[in-house]
Amino acid sequence: MKVLLAGNTGYVTGKFIEEAFPECQVMVLGNKMLKTVRKKQIISRPFPKTELELGDIFRTYEFEAVVYFSNYLTFHGELEGEAENLRKLLQYCRKGQESHFLYVTGPEGMYDVPTGKTLLVENAEDVCRRYAKLYDLKVKILRTPYLCSGIYRKDFFYRIFEAAKENQKQFFQEAPEQKAYFLYPMDLAELMFKLYDNWSDEEEILNVPDVFAVSFWDVTEELKKILSPVSIIYKSSATIEKIKEDDKQIRINYNWFPKISVLDHISEMYEEYKENTQNNGEKINWFTSFGNRNKKVLRVCEFVVSFLAFEFLQHLLGNQAQFHMIDLRLVFIVLFGSLYGLGYGIAGAAAQAVSLFLAYESQGTRWYTLFYEPANWIPFIFYFATGAVCGYVRMKNRENLEFVSEENQLIREKFIFMRDLYQETLLDKKRYKKQILGSKDSFGKIFDITRKLDIVQPEELFIETMHIMEEVLENETFAFYSLSQKNGYGRLEAASPKSQGMYSASIRLSEYTFAMDALEKGQVWANRDFINGYPMYMAGIRREGSLVMLICIQEVKNEQLTLYYMNLFQILCGLVETSLLRALEYQEATEYRKYVEKTRILKPEYFEKSLELQHSMREQKMASYILLKLKYENMTLEEADEALDGCIRENDIRGISQEGELYLILTQADDKALPFVLGRLERKGFGGKVLDVPAGKEAAGEEA
């Protein structure tokens, strides 16, 4: 299954995905902390900036499940863009293939007193319901308590940990008696797994209850244990908000309830926070962090220190001949203008203009002389012009660099997106090529199957069907049961060689009540609830509306629990049904030729054929049999046939040899059942000898 997770996905981690969507291909939009892991089929990328990119994603991946995490899942989080992003996803869900849409929102919709937030949440939920009705979308709304995390930067507890690190006071907008409605994210992951595993097409609004009754005072006490010191101030005049009582809908329908309280999770979140902030690629020392927080102060200090240093050099080296060709004041202006931009360039020019003015003053030149003589303005003009030009060039280069960096980042994101599309296209190409050239469900393969099943002998048909199903369905746990409507029993006709011991020789149909409705309607029954004693798949072969045969698959792999696999199994069962009914009709049409007159005893040529097929099935470990040679000295052949009716099963085969000797094939029998069978035969007046070779070639055996 292909799954899209969008919206407020900061709470989604690799562990969350493995719990909620095991063995699914999952794409997460908007979570910068989650990395793409192709081995686990996890793709993480930013939320598309344009609807065209979003449309490309939907057209390429054809998601079967779409989950939108609301911004209201974050306590006191950012709420902008909720409705627009939700509308975009619903818009593309209706254009693509049928998707199961789940809107996961916060507890505002469960509050007993309406607020501004509850009105906004109701509008978002109303958008989902209207799209579902207009475009026949499969939409469910899940209202949960707020989620909590120690690594998501927008989360309530992350902000508390950050403020405590800076020794800042905590201001809670709630009263200490207010209930803290928080949910452990992994509990939500378990619920989402159950939701999609038992998805119904009916529209539902599910409310996750608050079962722990934790107040903000309890949260504060737990925070004080791990954050020392911490100062928290409450808003005592805040309104106490309550959520509606638990309707028990989730517990009854999905067998789920929250298991971990936020109080038990706070210490774990704090450990995650410390690990995430302290080991973030490289250790950041105190000086670097101080510099990042106080860049402007450091630049001003650097400017002042450099100005004083240049003034010292000017006074120290101004009288040397080689420095008459170098204007250190101009060097200072060029340096700061080029490093920090227009503002520092003008500031440097102003500072050096003051320095030059003071230098003129020290040489006896008055300010009015400088002012009234235009030739003296030239150095000052050049200082400001140089500072402005160097600062402008620096500013322009920085803007160009930022623009190029943003453009490169955008191109990189598009490249990654196109690479993902290309890889997905290659995978689809390989998959389709395999299906076309050697697929198990291609038209050529179906024609080949139809040709192979053109058989009129039921036993031979069982052998060929077993080979075909094992090859096509890639499974080796099949079994065929012939059913009797008279006594309600099924007799094992054949089973896969590797499924020995999985199936009993006979079954009672009354033990499979959960599957009978689907089987009688001609549908494949799947054991999705893993009912003990049932195979994973069951399909029936019907004749004139009644079940005559049962085909079972005892065990399947996880990837075979899909609708595609079930449909393929149903198609093969349909082909088998056609061939089997044709074989039965042929057998009935030729019945008068197969049996000795007025008996159910096979004539020699037909009995030898049945024995060969039974022997072939035993050689391939699909079935077992025991061959008996019977003595009926005091009975005619008709009387012996009538006596056998009461002591053998319907699927046991009786026949005579060319010499007139009576034989009995006990199908699906073993040594344990042999004494009981011989006892019944002896009570009916038969003597029995066990043979271990085909009829006509006697061998040493056991006399009854």
Side-chain angles (χ1 to χ4, degrees):
M1 183 169 69
K2 294 182 179 179
V3 183
L4 175 67
L5 307 181
N8 190 14
T9 55
Y11 298 99
V12 177
T13 61
K15 187 178 178 182
F16 183 98
I17 293 174
E18 290 179 7
E19 177 71 24
F21 305 103
E23 301 182 6
C24 295
Q25 184 177 357
V26 181
M27 174 177 282
V28 183
L29 300 180
N31 188 345
K32 296 181 180 179
M33 297 187 65
L34 186 66
K35 303 299 182 183
T36 297
V37 184
R38 294 201 169 272
K39 290 184 178 179
K40 297 183 179 180
Q41 295 186 312
I42 298 175
I43 301 174
S44 178
R45 66 183 311 272
F47 195 90
K49 296 182 179 179
T50 63
E51 291 195 20
L52 181 61
E53 292 182 42
L54 187 61
D56 289 340
I57 291 175
F58 270 87
R59 283 189 293 271
T60 302
Y61 290 96
E62 297 183 345
F63 300 106
E64 300 169 61
V66 178
V67 182
Y68 186 86
F69 294 88
S70 171
N71 289 331
Y72 298 100
L73 289 171
T74 300
F75 189 55
H76 294 322
E78 299 175 359
L79 308 179
E80 291 80 9
E82 173 89 1
E84 181 60 22
N85 290 336
L86 185 60
R87 182 199 65 80
K88 289 179 183 179
L89 289 177
L90 288 168
Q91 188 76 8
Y92 283 105
C93 282
R94 76 177 182 88
K95 293 180 180 179
Q97 71 171 39
E98 185 174 319
S99 299
H100 298 153
F101 189 91
L102 179 64
Y103 178 50
V104 186
T105 185
E108 280 82 3
M110 298 186 284
Y111 285 156
D112 55 352
V113 178
T115 63
K117 284 187 179 180
T118 59
L119 296 176
L120 294 174
V121 170
E122 288 176 2
N123 288 336
E125 293 179 359
D126 190 55
V127 169
C128 296
R129 289 194 292 268
R130 288 184 178 274
Y131 264 90
K133 292 178 181 178
L134 285 174
Y135 304 110
D136 195 27
L137 296 178
K138 308 300 185 293
V139 174
K140 292 187 188 296
I141 297 172
L142 179 63
R143 298 168 176 166
T144 76
Y146 303 106
L147 298 183
C148 49
S149 170
I151 58 176
Y152 183 33
R153 295 182 179 275
K154 297 180 180 180
D155 183 73
F156 174 70
F157 286 96
Y158 185 94
R159 296 198 301 269
I160 288 178
F161 298 150
E162 282 285 291
K165 187 177 180 180
E166 302 297 331
N167 295 323
Q168 298 176 3
K169 291 184 178 181
Q170 305 290 325
F171 295 93
F172 281 10
Q173 301 178 24
E174 291 72 29
E177 298 82 13
Q178 171 68 49
K179 297 298 181 184
Y181 303 120
F182 288 100
L183 179 67
Y184 181 48
M186 295 308 297
D187 279 347
L188 175 62
E190 181 186 358
L191 174 58
M192 291 175 64
F193 171 78
K194 290 178 180 278
L195 264 173
Y196 276 103
D197 192 49
N198 301 278
W199 186 276
S200 62
D201 292 339
E202 299 178 1
E203 179 184 328
E204 285 184 307
I205 298 179
L206 303 172
N207 298 320
V208 176
D210 174 46
V211 299
F212 300 108
V214 175
S215 67
F216 274 93
W217 177 262
D218 299 327
V219 173
T220 302
E221 293 301 312
E222 191 65 27
L223 286 172
K224 288 180 179 178
K225 295 178 183 178
I226 60 175
L227 301 176
S228 181
V230 61
S231 176
I232 297 178
I233 301 174
Y234 294 99
K235 185 178 180 181
S236 58
S237 61
T239 304
I240 304 297
E241 296 176 331
K242 298 180 181 179
I243 63 175
K244 300 174 183 178
E245 293 184 2
D246 184 12
D247 56 9
K248 301 186 185 303
Q249 185 179 358
I250 293 180
R251 181 146 191 171
I252 294 172
N253 296 342
Y254 299 99
N255 192 27
W256 178 91
F257 58 91
K259 299 177 180 61
I260 298 180
S261 168
V262 65
L263 297 181
D264 300 328
H265 188 49
I266 287 178
S267 58
E268 180 183 342
M269 287 191 293
Y270 186 60
E271 292 300 324
E272 291 177 350
Y273 166 78
K274 290 195 297 182
E275 182 179 354
N276 183 67
T277 53
Q278 291 177 2
N279 301 317
N280 196 18
E282 59 180 1
K283 294 184 178 180
I284 303 175
N285 56 36
W286 177 87
F287 182 79
T288 304
S289 63
F290 177 81
N292 292 333
R293 292 195 303 267
N294 304 278
K295 287 184 178 180
K296 291 184 178 180
V297 175
L298 289 177
R299 286 184 180 179
V300 171
C301 294
E302 184 180 352
F303 181 87
V304 173
V305 172
S306 298
F307 174 76
L308 295 176
F310 270 84
E311 284 298 302
F312 175 74
L313 291 175
Q314 182 71 29
H315 288 289
L316 182 64
L317 305 175
N319 296 325
Q320 296 185 15
Q322 59 267 34
F323 281 95
H324 288 170
M325 305 297 296
I326 302 174
D327 189 349
L328 292 178
R329 295 186 178 90
L330 191 61
V331 172
F332 177 84
I333 296 170
V334 172
L335 179 63
F336 272 86
S338 301
L339 284 176
Y340 300 128
L342 184 61
Y344 282 93
I346 297 298
Q352 294 301 333
V354 173
S355 173
L356 181 60
F357 178 77
L358 294 175
Y360 278 129
E361 284 282 346
S362 64
Q363 295 175 4
T365 305
R366 301 298 179 182
W367 65 271
Y368 47 81
T369 305
L370 293 174
F371 182 76
Y372 288 107
E373 179 58 48
N376 295 327
W377 299 355
I378 294 176
F380 298 95
I381 294 173
F382 269 96
Y383 283 171
F384 281 97
T386 303
V389 171
C390 291
Y392 174 77
V393 171
R394 168 60 181 172
M395 182 181 66
K396 189 67 176 177
N397 289 339
R398 183 170 56 192
E399 290 178 353
N400 291 338
L401 183 62
E402 291 176 355
F403 174 76
V404 171
S405 299
E406 291 178 0
E407 190 175 26
N408 287 341
Q409 180 64 23
L410 181 61
I411 293 174
R412 182 176 179 275
E413 291 176 3
K414 289 184 177 181
F415 168 74
I416 293 174
F417 174 64
M418 294 303 297
R419 185 187 63 184
D420 292 341
L421 294 185
Y422 178 70
Q423 291 176 349
E424 289 294 327
T425 304
L426 284 180
L427 290 175
D428 289 340
K429 176 186 174 183
K430 293 178 182 178
R431 190 181 303 118
Y432 295 148
K433 183 177 180 180
K434 181 181 178 182
Q435 288 182 1
I436 293 172
L437 298 180
S439 176
K440 303 167 182 62
D441 54 347
S442 65
F443 290 110
K445 195 68 177 180
I446 292 176
F447 173 77
D448 185 54
I449 292 171
T450 306
R451 182 178 56 81
K452 288 181 179 179
L453 294 179
D454 190 14
I455 301 170
V456 295
Q457 191 71 20
E459 292 85 355
E460 190 175 355
L461 183 62
F462 294 150
I463 297 174
E464 195 60 45
T465 301
M466 188 70 70
H467 291 319
I468 290 171
M469 286 198 165
E470 288 180 346
E471 177 188 354
V472 174
L473 296 175
E474 296 181 349
N475 196 294
E476 296 181 345
T477 60
F478 290 94
F480 303 146
Y481 283 94
S482 59
L483 305 180
S484 172
Q485 296 297 329
K486 295 180 181 179
N487 54 21
Y489 274 88
R491 304 292 181 182
L492 183 63
E493 296 289 348
S496 296
K498 293 187 178 180
S499 65
Q500 298 298 322
M502 293 184 182
Y503 296 100
S504 57
S506 62
I507 59 173
R508 184 179 296 176
L509 295 182
S510 59
E511 297 176 352
Y512 297 93
T513 53
F514 293 107
M516 291 309 297
D517 289 342
L519 296 176
E520 289 176 354
K521 293 178 183 177
Q523 301 172 352
V524 173
W525 181 82
N527 188 5
R528 299 192 183 279
D529 296 325
F530 300 98
I531 303 173
N532 191 27
Y534 280 66
M536 291 306 299
Y537 285 110
M538 298 176 71
I541 305 296
R542 297 187 303 165
R543 185 182 186 191
E544 297 178 357
S546 300
L547 288 172
V548 295
M549 179 157 289
L550 206 60
I551 302 178
C552 305
I553 305 178
Q554 184 67 26
E555 297 176 353
V556 294
K557 301 176 183 177
N558 291 334
E559 60 268 20
Q560 294 174 339
L561 287 170
T562 60
L563 183 61
Y564 163 78
Y565 192 84
M566 189 167 67
N567 289 338
L568 185 58
F569 179 45
Q570 188 166 15
I571 291 172
L572 291 177
C573 291
L575 296 175
V576 173
E577 181 178 22
T578 303
S579 300
L580 181 64
L581 295 181
R582 184 174 64 248
L584 292 176
E585 290 174 359
Y586 175 81
Q587 294 296 321
E588 291 177 356
T590 59
E591 186 173 355
Y592 71 96
R593 292 187 301 177
K594 295 194 304 180
Y595 298 111
V596 176
E597 188 177 356
K598 298 180 181 180
T599 68
R600 298 289 296 175
I601 299 175
L602 290 173
K603 293 179 180 179
E605 60 272 22
Y606 294 102
F607 179 70
E608 289 177 3
K609 179 65 174 176
S610 295
L611 184 57
E612 288 177 3
L613 290 173
Q614 289 292 332
H615 189 70
S616 176
M617 292 171 68
R618 186 173 70 177
E619 288 293 318
Q620 298 180 54
K621 297 183 180 180
M622 294 183 184
S624 62
Y625 76 92
I626 295 176
L627 179 63
L628 299 179
K629 181 179 180 181
L630 302 180
K631 296 179 181 180
Y632 58 105
E633 298 175 351
N634 300 324
M635 293 180 284
T636 64
L637 194 60
E638 290 80 2
E639 292 173 342
D641 180 64
E642 185 177 353
L644 286 173
D645 283 338
C647 61
I648 64 174
R649 300 167 300 173
E650 291 183 6
N651 57 333
D652 292 336
I653 304 170
R654 40 197 151 165
I656 60 172
S657 66
Q658 297 289 349
E659 293 78 15
E661 297 171 321
L662 182 61
Y663 290 89
L664 179 64
I665 301 176
L666 302 175
T667 59
Q668 297 294 349
D670 52 22
D671 294 339
K672 295 180 181 179
L674 183 60
F676 301 101
V677 177
L678 293 176
R680 290 199 301 266
L681 291 173
E682 188 175 0
R683 287 191 293 272
K684 290 289 185 176
F686 291 97
K689 181 180 181 181
V690 181
L691 304 179
D692 54 2
V693 293
K697 299 179 182 179
E698 294 188 14
E702 296 180 3
E703 290 285 352

